Amino acid sequence: MAKKSAIERNKKRERLTKSAANRRAKLKATLHNRELPPEERFKAAMDLNKIAKNASPVRLHNRCELTGRPKAFYRKFRISRIALRELASHGQIPGVVKSSW
């Protein structure tokens, strides 16, 4: 089980990312638009820097929904390999069977 503080920190980052997504997208579009004057683009860059660092989607880390484990994460199931194996061996994930050959 991961530390509760790490899990909560990541949840906070998810909320911040979601709330600032529209504003970030508008500022980035302004910043990359070459037809606008440089002063306007510079102001967009300064405004983008004022947004919290934790509102950036790059700072999010995929974590297991059940245990909070940050490594060995399967995106399809949104859980770690250990939790996946445990659930699959108990038959709680439909369509997943233990391989044998």
Side-chain angles (χ1 to χ4, degrees), residues 9 11 16 46 58 61 66 71 76 88-89 93-94 96 99:
R9 188 179 317 126
K11 287 180 183 177
L16 279 170
M46 298 309 283
V58 173
H61 201 288
L66 303 175
K71 298 179 180 179
K76 184 175 183 177
S89 62
I93 301 176
V96 177
S99 67

Side-chain angles (χ1 to χ4, degrees), residues 10-27:
N10 204 46
K11 287 180 183 177
K12 180 182 176 184
R13 286 179 180 155
E14 286 176 8
R15 287 192 303 270
L16 279 170
T17 302
K18 189 181 280 188
S19 68
N22 289 335
R23 187 168 172 224
R24 280 182 64 85
K26 288 177 186 175
L27 289 171

Side-chain angles (χ1 to χ4, degrees), residues 27 30-31 33 35-47:
L27 289 171
T30 304
L31 188 62
N33 188 354
E35 297 173 0
L36 293 175
E39 297 83 21
E40 204 170 318
R41 292 174 55 212
F42 181 75
K43 185 179 182 323
M46 298 309 283
D47 290 343

Side-chain angles (χ1 to χ4, degrees), residues 85 88-89 95-101:
R85 184 167 192 237
S89 62
V96 177
V97 292
K98 184 177 179 185
S99 67
S100 61
W101 64 92

Side-chain angles (χ1 to χ4, degrees), residues 42-57:
F42 181 75
K43 185 179 182 323
M46 298 309 283
D47 290 343
L48 191 61
N49 282 335
K50 289 179 184 173
I51 296 176
K53 287 182 183 178
N54 283 333
S56 174

